[in-house]
Amino acid sequence: MKEEKIITPANGYLMLLTFLIMLIGGIFTLVITENFIFIISIIIAIFIAPGFIMVQPNNSRVLLLFGKYVGTINKNGFYWVNPFYTKKKISLRASNFDSERLKVNDKLGNPIMISTILVWRVQDTYKAAFDVDNYENFVRVQTDAAVRKLASMYPYDNFADEGHTEDITLRSSVNEVSETLEKEIDERLSIAGIEVLEARIGYLAYAQEIANAMLKRQQATAIVAARHKIVEGAVSMVEMALEELGKKNIVDLDEERKAAMVSNLMVILCGDKDASPVLNTGTLNQ
């Protein structure tokens, strides 16, 4: 047998009543009649006792008879089974696994620290019990392997100045990366009958040896982008100012005066500090 088999064993309450009748009745009759043949009833009762099992909600029992798989009980209740059965408990509840922070290289070769949060549960008790040695340890090892593979598939971030432009990155493409990670882990854990409910990156950062350098690089990129936006806006404002002055004939400026005005406006609009104006009490020519 290579797949899970669901069985429903005998009612435990009925067998419990039989057990009590045979045990108490055998002892009582033995004492009254002093006929040792009733010891058989006591022995049968003792034989029945190990067969009682209780299955709680979202739990299961995998039954073996001398090494042969008999079936799985996945319905909660009180049951009685063959006393010779070996009963292995497997939980069907959802479990959380927070992996350790792994140091790996991303697609560009940058060392990063990454971990994942996995929500999983057993879907096939036969595979979980017999196809792998220890399914809980199997989940941990295969999850770490999947995270290492994922990190090597995508860069941590885009570096447009070096010509590296990716549609998906570990930092910005959370949904796409999570879907890829979930699919990768699900394929690895299917051999153990494990169902992946959710997989997300729990921690992501550059490794300590390059964290400061990357932070400075990100700051420089942000400053350059901000400057580019400021200059673009300043040029538009200067253009608008010259156009409005020309339309309303407020002042007639030659090319040299326009160049000086543009220079002053650009300094004021693009400067880091507030401008300190100097009042000219003479003429424009002085």
Side-chain angles (χ1 to χ4, degrees):
M1 183 176 294
K2 298 296 183 180
E3 58 184 18
E4 183 182 58
K5 177 184 177 183
I6 305 300
I7 63 173
T8 303
N11 189 295
Y13 296 102
L14 181 60
M15 292 303 297
L16 178 62
L17 178 61
T18 303
F19 166 77
L20 293 175
I21 291 175
M22 298 192 71
L23 179 64
I24 298 175
I27 295 174
F28 181 77
T29 307
L30 178 63
V31 172
I32 296 299
T33 63
E34 296 184 356
N35 188 347
F36 290 97
I37 195 173
F38 291 103
I39 293 179
I40 298 176
S41 177
I42 300 175
I43 294 174
I44 294 175
I46 295 174
F47 175 79
I48 291 175
F52 292 108
I53 58 172
M54 183 179 295
V55 181
Q56 297 178 350
N58 284 327
N59 274 278
S60 67
R61 293 291 189 278
V62 176
L63 305 179
L64 299 174
L65 180 60
F66 304 122
K68 181 180 179 181
Y69 175 67
V70 177
T72 300
I73 307 172
N74 61 3
K75 185 178 180 181
N76 62 294
F78 183 57
Y79 303 102
W80 183 87
V81 297
N82 189 331
F84 291 107
Y85 282 171
T86 300
K87 300 171 280 291
K88 183 176 182 179
K89 181 180 178 181
I90 294 182
S91 175
L92 302 178
R93 298 171 182 172
S95 300
N96 282 321
F97 170 59
D98 188 2
S99 69
E100 296 181 358
R101 294 178 181 179
L102 304 174
K103 185 177 180 180
V104 296
N105 292 332
D106 68 356
K107 186 177 180 179
L108 302 180
N110 298 317
I112 62 174
M113 301 298 294
I114 187 172
S115 70
T116 185
I117 298 175
L118 177 68
V119 182
W120 62 276
R121 67 182 176 191
V122 175
Q123 188 177 37
D124 190 314
T125 57
Y126 179 87
K127 291 182 178 180
F130 306 116
D131 283 358
V132 293
D133 184 37
N134 183 323
Y135 68 90
E136 292 182 342
N137 183 64
F138 188 81
V139 169
R140 290 192 291 270
V141 173
Q142 292 301 320
T143 299
D144 288 347
V147 171
R148 291 180 182 275
K149 180 179 178 181
L150 177 81
S152 66
M153 293 170 59
Y154 304 110
Y156 180 93
D157 204 353
N158 276 321
F159 296 108
D161 56 333
E162 293 185 359
H164 299 294
T165 55
E166 299 283 343
D167 294 332
I168 300 177
T169 62
L170 296 174
R171 185 182 67 86
S172 60
S173 307
V174 178
N175 294 332
E176 292 83 355
V177 171
S178 297
E179 289 177 3
T180 304
L181 177 62
E182 185 174 326
K183 182 180 179 181
E184 178 68 24
I185 298 177
D186 187 64
E187 291 178 356
R188 292 172 177 267
L189 299 186
S190 61
I191 188 177
I194 305 296
E195 178 187 10
V196 176
L197 302 178
E198 184 181 16
R200 297 278 178 180
I201 292 179
Y203 179 85
L204 180 65
Y206 281 114
Q208 186 176 2
E209 58 266 28
I210 67 167
N212 290 333
M214 288 301 180
L215 178 60
K216 291 179 180 179
R217 181 172 188 162
Q218 290 176 353
Q219 291 174 342
T221 302
I223 291 173
V224 170
R227 288 294 182 185
H228 181 272
K229 197 69 177 177
I230 290 172
V231 171
E232 183 180 352
V235 170
S236 298
M237 293 175 67
V238 170
E239 182 180 5
M240 181 178 63
L242 293 174
E243 184 179 353
E244 290 297 321
L245 289 173
K247 284 182 179 180
K248 297 181 180 180
N249 296 320
I250 297 177
V251 63
D252 187 16
L253 298 175
D254 57 15
E255 295 300 323
E256 184 179 352
R257 299 297 183 187
K258 287 182 180 180
M261 180 180 177
V262 169
S263 176
N264 293 334
L265 286 175
M266 291 297 293
V267 170
I268 294 172
L269 294 174
C270 298
D272 290 332
K273 299 179 180 179
D274 294 336
S276 299
V278 177
L279 298 177
N280 187 2
T281 58
T283 66
L284 291 175
N285 296 322
Q286 295 179 350

